[in-house]
């Protein structure tokens, strides 16, 4: 077995550091084998990480943006060179198929570092003529940002937060999820190798309390969290007390609407991608699949056929398309949602089974109604709810009837309708005749309870910087005194 044990639990000030906090045991979800043993950061160690980041940030922010950008671009190149080994580590850490981690996880992190590396020197201020006098603006770093990650895309999340933050001259202290602590340490190593100053990107391990310490830390200027809505509410509240900036990437129950004129194969394929990729552990998943009634029978037949052909198995086998869930806790939670969907009257189309090895079969329920738990709560597992609808107005109202607002998708051959429907959906990230594609050029984020702020694209720059306005007097000062 590949050696996944890092040199020590944390990466602070350019080197691995150990602590004597509570143990974090990392297992490979497929076999239950222990792959690493780490320790939580103690409060003193978190203070040390923030202080080290503050020192690095001063030097880093003073560098020319093109020099900062070069470090990020170099880090992207190193990730691409090592993608095979990094993907393997990601599969061990998360249990996701290597087929996915090799093309989706670190590659998307590398895209982010490359994109923001290139963008760094293009960020400029405004010159505001005032008739003799003038003003100008400077986009400045916030300071030390805290990144707190979820377990489903641990390395991608670390890169998506670090890249715009560092590009703008900030430093970051990153706390990965306690379930998947390994990838962020690799990013810390790679950034140092690419030329980042020691302390610019520190990693501290821990559970919620370590995240909470970062969110309330006086040395932290911004908190960027990827996690669930309840955690987001707590972190946002803590950050508000210190008047800190926040980015919140939280959960969802996103609608995917399939009109009767949609290309059937594309719509079925997208619904599967939107529910079964990463065994359904994706925030933006289209877990409420609304299908127009006239298409329902054909849609369900093809969906069942294609879903039953999904290859489940050893995530390290390249042929495997579907892996286990992250943990026994998540496995139990998803199974309970399946039982509840059956009890509340959903029709099980396929799946529903589970195994000791943390697998839950790709599962589809039809005849789901808006009030059923399966249509209202985020499952974060491979359970698709198919709901019927008749009219466009009806489906829009039903799709919007949720506290969440992360993503939405529409499948139709009528592009006018596609744009019209998307225009009325309450969601931050939308797709027409596609689903779950998140290129770095496109802003990614949510509305309503699913979060605020944007990751990726030029939009992320605004969430990792602040504007300084400078008024320049060119004449004598007119004073009434
Ligand atoms: P979680 O909310 O349990 O934990 C997220 C992170 O927050 C972890 O690192 C955890 O240790 C930390 N944390 C927990 N309590 C904290 C506290 N009080 N203060 C500070 N930090 C605290 O989420 P999870 O189970 O790891 O991930 C699944 C959730 O993440 C799902 O709801 C999913 O939709 C969401 N998610 C959202 C996005 C997005 O971009 N919108 C992406 C991936 C996952």
């Amino acid at each position: 077995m590949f050696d996944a044990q890092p040199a020590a639990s944390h990466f602070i000030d350019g080197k691995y550091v150990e602590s004597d906090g509570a143990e974090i045991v990392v297992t490979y979800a497929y076999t239950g084998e222990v792959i690493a043993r780490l320790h939580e950061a103690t409060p003193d160690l978190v203070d040390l990480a923030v202080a080290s980041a503050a020192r690095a940030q001063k030097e880093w922010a003073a560098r020319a943006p093109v020099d900062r950008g070069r470090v990020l671009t170099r880090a992207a190149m190193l990730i691409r060179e090592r993608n095979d080994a990094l993907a393997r580590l990601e599969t061990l850490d998360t249990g996701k198929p290597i087929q996915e981690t090799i093309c989706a996880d670190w590659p998307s992190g590398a895209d982010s570092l490359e994109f923001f590396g290139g963008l760094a020197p293009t960020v400029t201020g405004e010159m505001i003529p005032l008739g003799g006098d003038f003003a100008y603006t400077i986009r400045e770093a916030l300071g030390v940002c805290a990144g707190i990650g979820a377990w489903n895309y641990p390395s991608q999340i670390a890169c998506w937060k670090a890249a715009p933050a560092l590009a703008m001259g900030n430093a970051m202290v990153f706390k990965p999820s306690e379930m998947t602590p390994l990838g962020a340490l690799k990013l810390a190593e790679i950034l140092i190798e690419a030329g980042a100053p020691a302390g610019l990107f520190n990693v501290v391990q821990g559970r919620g309390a370590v995240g909470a310490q970062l969110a309330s830390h006086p040395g932290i200027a911004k908190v960027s969290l990827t996690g669930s809505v309840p955690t987001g509410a707590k972190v946002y509240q803590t950050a508000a007390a210190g008047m800190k900036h926040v980015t919140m990437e939280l959960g969802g129950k996103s609608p995917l609407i399939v009109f009767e004129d949609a290309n059937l194969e594309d719509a079925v394929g997208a619904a599967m991608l939107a529910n079964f990729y990463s065994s359904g552990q994706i925030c933006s998943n289209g877990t409420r699949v609304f299908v127009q009634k006239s298409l329902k029978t054909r849609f369900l037949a093809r969906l069942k056929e294609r879903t039953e052909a999904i290859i489940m198995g050893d995530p390290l086998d390249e042929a495997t398309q579907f892996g286990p869930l992250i943990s026994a806790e998540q496995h139990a939670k998803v199974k309970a949602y399946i039982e509840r969907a059956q009890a509340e009257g959903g029709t099980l189309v396929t799946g529903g089974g589970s195994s000791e090895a943390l697998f839950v079969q790709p599962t589809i329920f039809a005849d789901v109604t808006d009030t059923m738990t399966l249509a209202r709560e985020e499952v974060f597992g491979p359970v698709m709810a198919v709901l019927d609808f008749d009219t466009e107005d009806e489906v829009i109202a039903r799709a919007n009837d949720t506290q969440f607002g992360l993503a939405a998708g529409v499948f139709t051959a009528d592009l006018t309708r596609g744009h019209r429907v998307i225009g009325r959906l309450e969601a931050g990230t939308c797709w027409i005749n596609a689903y779950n594609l998140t290129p770095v050029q496109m802003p990614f984020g949510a509305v309503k309870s699913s979060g605020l702020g944007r990751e990726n694209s030029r939009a992320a720059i605004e969430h990792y910087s602040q504007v300084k306005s400078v008024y320049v007097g060119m004449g004598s000062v007119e004073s009434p005194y």
Side-chain angles (χ1 to χ4, degrees), residues 69-265:
R70 198 175 301 120
V71 172
L72 301 188
T73 312
R74 221 179 272 144
M77 275 167 45
L78 292 172
I79 288 172
R80 293 215 171 90
E81 279 167 25
R82 295 171 198 172
N83 189 44
D84 286 358
L86 291 169
R88 206 174 152 79
L89 185 66
E90 194 79 345
T91 285
L92 291 174
D93 209 11
T94 60
K96 297 197 295 180
I98 191 98
Q99 195 187 82
E100 292 188 14
T101 55
I102 213 145
C103 69
D105 293 70
W106 279 102
S108 130
D111 282 356
S112 175
L113 288 157
E114 191 169 24
F115 178 84
F116 287 104
L119 200 61
T122 73
V123 177
T124 55
E126 262 186 299
M127 206 290 270
I128 305 155
L130 297 169
D133 290 358
F134 65 96
Y136 63 93
T137 61
I138 312 170
R139 210 159 250 293
E140 294 187 334
L142 301 171
V144 180
C145 303
I148 304 176
W151 42 259
N152 58 338
Y153 276 83
S155 301
Q156 181 198 74
I157 289 170
C159 292
W160 280 21
K161 294 189 187 310
L166 304 191
M168 292 312 296
N170 303 281
M172 177 164 275
V173 178
F174 188 82
K175 189 203 84 64
S177 163
E178 58 274 29
M179 311 284 242
T180 52
L182 303 178
L185 293 169
K186 289 289 170 204
L187 176 61
E189 279 180 35
I190 286 169
L191 281 164
I192 289 287
E193 218 179 311
L200 187 69
F201 181 78
N202 291 330
V203 177
V204 292
Q205 307 291 354
R207 301 182 172 81
V210 175
Q213 190 190 344
L214 285 171
S216 64
H217 201 290
I220 295 291
K222 172 187 173 113
V223 189
S224 177
L225 169 80
T226 297
S228 61
V229 172
T231 304
K234 279 190 227 162
V235 173
Y236 195 6
Q237 204 165 20
T238 308
M243 211 59 82
K244 300 183 198 314
H245 298 249
V246 294
T247 291
M248 293 284 155
E249 293 289 357
L250 311 175
K253 190 79 211 177
S254 303
L256 198 178
I257 302 173
V258 181
F259 285 97
E260 60 192 356
D261 62 350
N263 177 304
L264 182 66
E265 283 307 308

